[in-house]
């Protein structure tokens, strides 16, 4: 079977790595179309190198821009790439502009579309990701859900045909690469830090980075932590910090984006994680590390229902209070995200 995979952003590289491996093991031919949505070495190429993802068949080099500009350029460039290959099926992942552009280009060409990580809902229509995931779900022929909640969300919208509960491919990736990360990563020694002696923070969503007052509030909260905060900073966040002349407290150490293996080690050994990333919320859960989500809602409700993740928004006092709450030692940790074999299940179901 000939497959075109459309990816473009850091989380998609992680989600796709175990699927690409499963496709190769099953004897399928995959052509990876990289939109270029993430293009810095630390946000793109390093993931292909570390995770053994096949080199992209083509890089569209779209780069940054407004959501409308970026999506339209991707759509215009993805369509001829798909037409050139005439695949049996196109795979898209998650909820980025690359996801939506890949979905629209595919359905306009009447080619079968599969959405991996289908059914997520934050119910916050201010998030561009929410529009992307809803529209993609309603375009797709095959919808691969990571959790029962995602399956239920689709059923509530009348989507039941071609819907499958398979588990989470990011969980597959963590299980596949954690041992390698321990063997290969020297990030703790490079940064001069020890396990559980630091907090880890990430921030990239537009509604947190584009308003200087919001960004200032978040960095004020990090200052109140007092202890060391390691902050691998997304390029758009760094630009916003510089543009807004946001002061950085001495306990907050901004570092360049790190590769996947280094990030796994930083997550696993953090005292707690503060983030607005959906993927990092999950990875914190996988490693049983408390997470504070710098949002008012999450699509990964399993992590909050089980009390491993707390929604704190951007209020410094609320963040500080949550960090100092006593964590119950006997918190349940259910296997919400599958058995680590989501990728193999997806590959088997692609033949249906």
């Amino acid at each position: 079977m000939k497959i075109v995979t459309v990816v473009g952003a850091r989380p998609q590289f992680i989600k796709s790595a175990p699927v690409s491996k499963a496709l190769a093991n099953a004897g399928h031919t995959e052509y990876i179309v990289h939109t270029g949505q993430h293009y810095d070495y630390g946000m793109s190429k390093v993931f292909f190198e570390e995770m053994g993802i096949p080199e992209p068949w083509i890089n569209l080099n779209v780069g940054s821009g407004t959501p409308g500009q970026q999506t339209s350029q991707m759509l215009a460039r993805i369509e001829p790439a798909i037409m050139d290959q005439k695949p049996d099926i196109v795979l898209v992942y998650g909820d980025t502009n690359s996801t939506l552009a890949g979905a629209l280009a595919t359905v306009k060409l009447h080619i079968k579309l599969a959405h991996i990580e289908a059914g997520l809902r934050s119910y916050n229509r201010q998030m561009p990701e929410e529009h992307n995931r809803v529209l993609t779900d309603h375009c797709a022929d095959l919808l691969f859900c990571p959790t029962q909640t995602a399956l239920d969300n689709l059923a509530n919208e009348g989507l039941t045909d071609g819907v499958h509960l398979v588990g989470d491919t990011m969980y597959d990736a963590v299980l596949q690469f954690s041992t390698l990360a321990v063997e290969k990563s020297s990030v703790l020694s490079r940064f001069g830090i020890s396990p559980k002696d630091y907090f880890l923070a990430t921030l990239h969503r537009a509604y947190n980075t584009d308003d200087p007052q919001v960004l200032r509030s978040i960095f004020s909260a990090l200052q109140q932590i007092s202890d060391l905060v390691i902050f691998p900073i997304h390029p758009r966040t760094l630009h916003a910090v510089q543009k807004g002349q946001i002061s950085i407290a001495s306990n907050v150490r901004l570092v360049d984006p790190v590769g996947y293996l280094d990030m796994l080690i930083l997550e696993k050994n953090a005292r707690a994680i503060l983030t607005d990333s959906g993927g990092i919320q999950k990875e914190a859960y996988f490693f049983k590390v408390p997470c504070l989500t710098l949002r008012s809602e999450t699509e990964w409700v399993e992590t909050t229902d089980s009390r491993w993740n707390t929604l704190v928004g951007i209020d410094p006092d609320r963040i500080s209070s949550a960090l100092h709450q006593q964590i119950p030692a006997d918190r349940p940790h259910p296997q919400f995200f599958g058995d680590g074999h989501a990728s193999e299940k997806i590959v088997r179901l692609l033949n249906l």
Side-chain angles (χ1 to χ4, degrees), residues 162-178:
V163 176
H164 303 276
L165 175 60
V166 294
D168 196 306
T169 65
M170 286 191 80
Y171 184 47
D172 293 13
V174 166
L175 294 179
Q176 290 180 22
F177 289 98
S178 288

Side-chain angles (χ1 to χ4, degrees), residues 49-296:
E49 294 174 352
E50 290 185 346
M51 304 182 78
I53 305 170
E55 281 291 312
W57 166 61
I58 190 171
N59 191 320
L60 304 180
N61 295 308
V62 170
S64 57
T66 68
Q69 291 171 339
Q70 194 178 61
T71 306
S72 63
Q73 288 184 47
M74 289 176 186
L75 181 56
R77 298 180 195 183
I78 291 170
E79 183 180 65
I82 295 174
M83 291 173 67
D84 183 67
Q85 285 302 331
K86 298 181 177 62
D88 299 296
I89 193 165
V90 174
L91 306 185
V92 296
Y93 290 80
D95 53 22
T96 70
N97 292 337
S98 298
T99 311
L100 180 59
L104 292 175
T106 302
V107 298
K108 295 293 185 181
L109 294 171
H110 307 291
I111 292 172
K112 196 172 184 180
L113 174 69
H115 185 200
I116 297 174
E117 200 180 78
L120 300 191
R121 297 291 183 268
S122 69
Y123 298 102
N124 177 1
R125 289 303 181 97
Q126 298 302 310
M127 291 176 61
E129 294 87 353
E130 185 76 354
H131 297 280
N132 291 343
R133 61 173 72 112
V134 170
L135 291 168
T136 299
D137 282 340
H138 284 262
C139 287
D141 301 286
L142 289 171
L143 298 105
F144 297 119
C145 299
T147 64
Q148 182 63 47
T149 302
L151 195 81
D152 294 341
N153 289 339
L154 293 178
N156 290 338
E157 295 174 17
L159 295 177
T160 55
D161 291 341
V163 176
H164 303 276
L165 175 60
V166 294
D168 196 306
T169 65
M170 286 191 80
Y171 184 47
D172 293 13
V174 166
L175 294 179
Q176 290 180 22
F177 289 98
S178 288
T179 300
L180 183 64
V182 172
E183 294 173 357
K184 298 288 188 180
S185 175
S186 61
V187 68
L188 297 185
S189 60
R190 292 202 319 270
F191 288 174
I193 54 180
S194 300
K196 306 306 177 184
D197 282 348
Y198 64 93
F199 295 91
L200 179 66
T202 77
L203 195 71
H204 75 281
R205 295 194 182 274
Y207 53 73
N208 278 338
T209 61
D210 290 359
D211 184 335
Q213 288 300 109
V214 171
L215 196 57
R216 194 167 285 113
S217 178
I218 291 171
F219 275 95
S220 173
L222 298 181
Q223 180 178 2
Q224 289 188 20
I225 293 173
S226 298
D227 295 313
L228 176 64
V229 179
I230 299 294
F231 196 135
I233 191 160
H234 190 287
R236 74 174 296 159
T237 309
L238 179 61
H239 175 74
V241 165
Q242 294 169 340
K243 183 179 178 181
Q245 298 182 319
I246 309 295
S247 60
I248 310 298
S250 59
N251 69 303
V252 178
R253 187 189 303 178
L254 301 184
V255 300
D256 290 334
V258 298
Y260 182 59
L261 301 183
D262 283 348
M263 194 63 179
L264 290 181
I265 295 300
L266 288 173
E267 290 169 346
K268 181 179 180 180
N269 290 286
R271 194 184 311 171
I273 296 172
L274 301 93
T275 188
D276 61 4
S277 161
I280 291 176
Q281 290 175 55
K282 286 189 297 179
E283 288 169 344
Y285 185 84
F286 301 156
F287 288 123
K288 299 183 179 181
V289 174
C291 183
L292 273 63
T293 294
L294 304 171
R295 294 164 49 185
S296 59

